[in-house]
Structure formats: C-alpha cells, structure tokens
Amino acid sequence: MNHKLTKDFEWQNKPKEVIVHTDRVLITTEPKTDLWQRTYYGFQNVNAPAFLCKVDGDFTFQVKTEYEEAIDLYDQCGVLCFFDDENWIKVSVEYENDVARRLGSVATNLGYSDWASVDIPETTTEMWYRLSRRGKDFFIESSEDGTQFQQMRMLHMHKSKETARVGIYACSPMDSSFKAVFSEIEIGTCLWKAHSAN
C-alpha cells in the first residue's frame, strides 16, 4: 500500500493551523477539542482534528509523534482509527502533570469509551506507534526509539467495517493549545502475525 499524505489523507475537523508536507504534518491544537464518549465523565465529544486515510481490510499503521509543547492537562496526540462517532480507537500520550504523562489507548465500542493507561516520565516528548488490524481485532504497540516496540493492548471492535479510516489526531480538551508533529507515517501489510493454534 502506497498512501501519500498530500493525496490520500482527508481532514476530519480540520484545525485552523496546520502544515502538511510530503513527509510531516504539524497540527496546532485548539482548546476544548477531544475524543470521548459517555463513560464516567458523561460527556460526548468527537471534535478533535484528525488526518485520516481510508484502508480496506487488514493493515499496519505506524507513525512517530513529537509533543514537547504539550504541557497542559490532557493535551494529547497520536493515532486514530475511526469507523463512526460511536466506534473508534485512539492511542496517545496525554500530559498529566510535571511528574508524569499517560501512555494509553481508548477503545470506543457501541458509544462507550474505555481508557487503559500507564504513567511514563513527563520528560518523554516523543513516541512511535503501530496499530495493526486483523478482521475485527486490533493490536496496539508503542516504542520510545522507533525500533523496539512493546505491546500495549489487543482489542475487538464490535461494529468495525471493512473500510477503516486511520491516521493521526491531536487535541487539547482543556483551555490550552500546543504544536504536535507527526512523521515517519507508513501504512502497509499487517505486521501482526496470525495466531496459530499448533
């Protein structure tokens, strides 16, 4: 699969400030933007800017994210795999405080979001991600160096469709803004090996 940022990706909630190069995307987030549905907090918000590409069938999406300027509560940027407002996956690092950030993922199934996360040092300002699909199942990995990837999560999307819209997103749920940088964006054949019962 050979997808080009300037040709095959389309905006969902296009931000006011964005720069798209052939190999990099820079998004300036806007206040009060987020991706979340119902669980615990009660609110529904799907207004985060996302730059997405349509992909049929199984795939692996990989990207490097840089977010040094994300220094306000819940500032985040990462990967989004979107089917509709009530069924999607996001993977990101969120700013928490001057001690820790939260590396995590949200799977929104049937209109309800969950959040699985682990604290990482606040000094971590870049992260690579891989999101792989096999049918309705998804596998998420992260890496601090772009070489050694570690499993974050395996999950099932109940209402996934044959065509997914996958790519990048950035948002600032509170009254803040920062610049997120995305590079090394690749979409290819699924790297998540099929399970063998033997």
Side-chain angles (χ1 to χ4, degrees):
M1 288 179 271
N2 185 19
H3 299 278
K4 298 182 182 300
L5 285 173
T6 55
K7 177 183 177 183
D8 300 318
F9 283 72
E10 297 180 345
W11 284 104
Q12 176 172 291
N13 306 315
K14 185 175 181 178
K16 294 177 182 176
E17 294 184 46
V18 62
I19 300 173
V20 179
H21 297 291
T22 56
D23 60 350
R24 287 165 72 84
V25 180
L26 290 78
I27 296 175
T28 300
T29 63
E30 297 169 25
K32 311 298 184 185
T33 51
D34 198 4
L35 285 162
W36 187 263
Q37 286 285 18
R38 295 181 178 88
T39 306
Y40 183 66
Y41 305 109
F43 66 81
Q44 298 173 257
N45 207 342
V46 287
N47 66 348
F51 201 38
L52 306 173
C53 178
K54 293 181 180 179
V55 183
D56 295 328
D58 299 342
F59 64 85
T60 290
F61 176 84
Q62 183 171 314
V63 65
K64 176 186 179 183
T65 61
E66 299 171 74
Y67 44 87
E68 185 175 1
E69 294 186 9
I71 56 173
D72 287 285
L73 187 62
Y74 305 137
D75 280 351
Q76 60 192 266
C77 65
V79 173
L80 177 64
C81 183
F82 197 86
F83 294 101
D84 57 47
D85 284 0
E86 298 199 332
N87 299 278
W88 46 263
I89 303 163
K90 72 175 182 179
V91 192
S92 66
V93 170
E94 295 189 18
Y95 181 85
E96 183 65 20
N97 52 48
D98 59 4
V99 175
R101 298 181 189 264
R102 288 194 170 145
L103 170 63
S105 61
V106 172
T108 297
N109 270 304
L110 309 176
Y112 288 86
S113 297
D114 66 24
W115 186 22
S117 67
V118 61
D119 286 359
I120 60 174
E122 191 276 331
T123 52
T124 307
T125 58
E126 59 184 36
M127 190 69 65
W128 284 256
Y129 301 103
R130 277 184 190 158
L131 186 147
S132 299
R133 176 182 188 176
R134 283 195 173 275
K136 290 182 176 290
D137 299 326
F138 293 80
F139 186 60
I140 301 169
E141 302 168 276
S142 64
S143 171
E144 294 188 14
D145 62 9
T147 302
Q148 299 295 322
F149 282 82
Q150 297 181 326
Q151 175 178 329
M152 288 179 63
R153 183 175 189 177
M154 184 189 304
L155 61 98
H156 184 82
M157 292 299 292
H158 301 282
K159 291 290 186 179
S160 59
K161 303 167 186 174
E162 174 66 15
T163 300
R165 296 170 62 214
V166 65
I168 57 175
Y169 86 98
C171 63
S172 292
M174 307 302 282
D175 191 18
S176 59
S177 176
F178 75 98
K179 287 183 173 61
V181 182
F182 303 87
S183 59
E184 301 180 28
I185 298 172
E186 300 178 9
I187 304 175
T189 56
C190 183
L191 299 178
W192 181 25
K193 295 181 179 180
H195 175 70
S196 174
N198 297 329

